[in-house]
Amino acid sequence: FPNMQIIYPANSTEAEQMLAKRLDAPKGPMVILHPYEPILATEPVIGHMEPCGLSVAAEGLDGYLIGLGNTLANAWELKSRLQQSGKDFGIICIQSIKPFPEARLKELLLPGMDIVTLEESVLAGGLGTAVLETVSDADIRVRILRTGVNDAFVRPGSKLECSQEAGISVAQIYEQIVQRWPEYLETAHG
């Protein structure tokens, strides 16, 4: 739909604020997405949500982990694991899927960085695709690893069970990273 907004609040506070803002000034069609899981007692740090619809939860020199609110806990765990490999990754949380915060991403993603997108949905046409299009259109030379669900059926289960079956648990994503970029493993052992 033209002018359709698609929002994925980063946490419960952002969801409350988004609903209140929307009820105060409804304009055009909007979809607000929410994960199918309990809200954690202590939600992961998201940083300041910028008006464009993203937050930089952590800065990074070597690259960024980019995900939606439902992947933030994994992003923090993965950031810690990457630090053990000598890599300094930041975390970007995307809240506005449409319109996508392209301009701000172009400012943050610098040539030579490594980018890992994290999503719990199908890869084709998802968050990773939007990031790829953004960097391609801007001709930013980065390496990107998209992680998400392949176009296959995932049996029902807990979030952890489904993530493991889909190959997107933190351990499995870390393995994908070191397979794609073997120097990460060499740095960890060197």
Side-chain angles (χ1 to χ4, degrees), residues 3-8 50-54 66-68 92-106 108-109 115 117-119 125-137 144:
N3 301 314
M4 166 76 86
Q5 284 184 286
I6 304 174
I7 304 296
Y8 199 115
E50 299 177 21
C52 66
L54 69 67
I66 303 175
L68 303 173
I92 296 173
C93 180
I94 302 290
Q95 179 170 282
S96 179
I97 299 168
K98 187 174 183 245
F100 196 69
E102 292 177 23
R104 183 65 173 121
L105 266 183
K106 290 174 189 176
L108 293 167
L109 305 183
I115 309 301
T117 62
L118 310 170
E119 55 190 308
L127 175 66
T129 301
V131 172
L132 275 174
E133 290 174 356
T134 299
V135 298
S136 177
D137 291 349
I144 297 180

Side-chain angles (χ1 to χ4, degrees), residues 59-64 79 82-83 85-90 113:
E59 295 283 347
L61 297 174
D62 297 314
Y64 280 103
K79 175 179 173 49
L82 288 164
Q83 281 177 325
S85 295
K87 297 296 180 180
D88 180 28
F89 267 70
M113 285 187 158

Side-chain angles (χ1 to χ4, degrees), residues 118-181:
L118 310 170
E119 55 190 308
E120 294 180 347
S121 56
V122 177
L123 280 170
L127 175 66
T129 301
V131 172
L132 275 174
E133 290 174 356
T134 299
V135 298
S136 177
D137 291 349
D139 200 25
I140 302 170
R141 308 290 179 175
V142 295
R143 298 190 302 182
I144 297 180
L145 172 63
R146 295 179 313 135
T147 65
V149 180
N150 289 317
D151 195 10
F153 180 75
V154 177
R155 291 175 295 175
S158 69
K159 180 175 178 166
L160 179 60
E161 292 166 339
C162 291
S163 292
Q164 288 173 336
E165 182 175 335
I168 58 171
S169 70
V170 171
Q172 291 165 316
I173 292 171
Y174 182 77
E175 286 304 313
Q176 290 177 52
I177 292 170
V178 297
Q179 284 177 1
R180 173 71 64 90
W181 303 316

